[in-house]
Structures are given as C-alpha cells and as structure tokens.
Amino acid sequence: MGVLMAVRVALLALICAQGAGAFSAPRSSLISRARPLTAVSAGFGKSTGSEAKTAKGKLNAKKQWDRFVDLSKDGGGTAEVAVRKDAESEWKPIGRVCAVAELPVVAAAARQRSLIEEHGKRVHLALLAQVGKAPLQVGIRVTAEASFELVGKEDNTASADSQIGFEGLPDPKTGYYCMYTDGRLITSGSASSGGVESTGTGLHPSLAGEQRSPRPG
C-alpha cells in the first residue's frame, strides 16, 4: 500500500511539472511576438518638433495664389517681385505679391521668397543652370517706374500666411499660374520674357471670372 501511494504521488508531481511547462511556453511566445509591434508603432507616433516646424514653415503655392486673388480684390497692397543671381545680374520679373492693408507689402515678399525663388528658377531656366540649388536674390518694387529693391530676411514681419499672397507669371510649359477660357490660355499684351507671355510691365493681371489652372498644387 505504501509503495503504491508513493508511485501515485510521483506520477502526480510529474504531470503537474509538465502542465506548468505547457502553459509557460505560449506566454513567452506571446511576449516575443509583441515586441516588434511596439517598435513599428513608434514610427507612426507623434512627429518630432523639427518635423512639425518644417511642415508648418512650408508654404502651399496654390493657397498663396488663392490668397493673392482674394486680398487684391479686397484692396490689399500689391507690388512686383523679381529675382536675380547676384548684385551684378539683371532683375528678372517673376510675379506679384499682395498683403493686407495694415502690413508692409515687402513682408509678403520676404515670407514667400521660397515660392518666388522656386518659380524664378522654373521660368528662367538660365538662372537654374547658373545657381542650381543656391538661393536667388529677391527684389520688389511698388510701381513700374521704380527700381527693384533687395528684400532681406529682416523684412519678414508677416504674422499669418493668410495675410499675404503670391501670383507668379504664367508658365505655359508647366501650367503654373496659368488662366484659361474655353481651354485656351489667356494672354495679355505681346511682350515676353524667357518664354513667358506677360504684359508690358511683366505683370500678369488676375482676371475675374476666368478659369485658373489647377496648378500650382
């Protein structure tokens, strides 16, 4: 009887030990599978401060074009802008900027200089070949009779992008800042600069009621 009892106890202990091992293995497996999920989720977490700052600082060309049209209709101040390689180079008109009445129009040029430079290289391919990714100088003048004055970083006093706008000269090659009627590009005047049709002063007027190209995006 004593021997039989001892055998039963030994068998019970063996079964318990095997059962514990059977339940502990899946837990380890689940934990090891969960670790990669944590690492992957990190890639979709909250963006860093530098990323948020970059996204906030970049201007949308289409939005600023829409704002130019709205602000100019509401009586905002406008001025012509131009780009050049350096002080020894000739100014090349590239479009106009607009700002709310209480804001110096030069602030619109300073804040939107990235759009102005980008469009300048798009339209004047010779400039792109000369400077590559290097920045261009941006100039501004309020009247066609005035000389272009250099825009500095200190002129960027715009507190909100909704207070300013930019309209570039139309570029038929890419469709940027183009306006159409019945599918045909609207032109004003016969003067051209670098393949861009414009008025005699280099300005491209906003024509109310006409269809604008979906570009820039």
Side-chain angles (χ1 to χ4, degrees), residues 12-58:
L12 182 60
L14 179 61
I15 292 173
C16 292
Q18 290 178 344
F23 285 102
S24 61
R27 176 189 288 182
S28 299
S29 176
L30 289 174
I31 292 176
S32 63
R33 291 179 184 177
R35 286 173 184 166
L37 294 179
T38 302
V40 172
S41 298
F44 298 91
K46 186 177 181 181
S47 61
T48 62
S50 59
E51 292 173 345
K53 183 177 180 180
T54 301
K56 182 179 179 180
K58 187 175 181 180

Side-chain angles (χ1 to χ4, degrees), residues 2-167:
V3 174
L4 182 59
M5 181 62 70
V7 171
R8 289 180 177 177
V9 171
L11 288 174
L12 182 60
L14 179 61
I15 292 173
C16 292
Q18 290 178 344
F23 285 102
S24 61
R27 176 189 288 182
S28 299
S29 176
L30 289 174
I31 292 176
S32 63
R33 291 179 184 177
R35 286 173 184 166
L37 294 179
T38 302
V40 172
S41 298
F44 298 91
K46 186 177 181 181
S47 61
T48 62
S50 59
E51 292 173 345
K53 183 177 180 180
T54 301
K56 182 179 179 180
K58 187 175 181 180
L59 291 171
N60 181 281
K62 179 62 169 61
K63 286 184 178 180
Q64 296 310 115
W65 189 18
D66 290 340
R67 286 165 176 166
F68 175 91
V69 174
D70 293 338
L71 290 172
S72 58
K73 288 180 179 179
D74 292 339
T78 61
E80 184 179 9
V81 289
V83 292
R84 67 182 182 183
K85 177 185 176 182
D86 50 39
E88 305 301 322
S89 305
E90 180 182 356
W91 286 110
K92 295 182 178 297
I94 198 59
R96 291 183 296 173
V97 292
C98 188
V100 293
E102 60 270 22
L103 188 70
V105 71
V106 67
R111 174 69 182 99
Q112 299 174 113
R113 68 177 303 126
S114 60
L115 295 180
I116 297 169
E117 289 185 47
E118 180 181 315
H119 193 53
K121 293 179 181 180
R122 180 184 298 118
V123 172
H124 303 292
L125 297 179
L127 281 177
L128 177 60
Q130 292 173 9
V131 302
K133 294 183 179 181
L136 295 173
Q137 291 186 349
V138 174
I140 187 172
R141 66 180 180 185
V142 179
T143 65
E145 295 76 22
S147 299
F148 283 104
E149 296 183 8
L150 190 65
V151 177
K153 293 182 178 180
E154 68 279 1
D155 294 317
N156 185 5
T157 57
S159 58
D161 296 336
S162 59
Q163 296 179 322
I164 57 177
F166 168 66
E167 177 184 63

Side-chain angles (χ1 to χ4, degrees), residues 165-183:
F166 168 66
E167 177 184 63
L169 290 177
D171 182 26
K173 300 186 299 297
T174 62
Y176 273 78
Y177 302 103
C178 288
M179 302 168 69
Y180 300 86
T181 294
D182 298 328

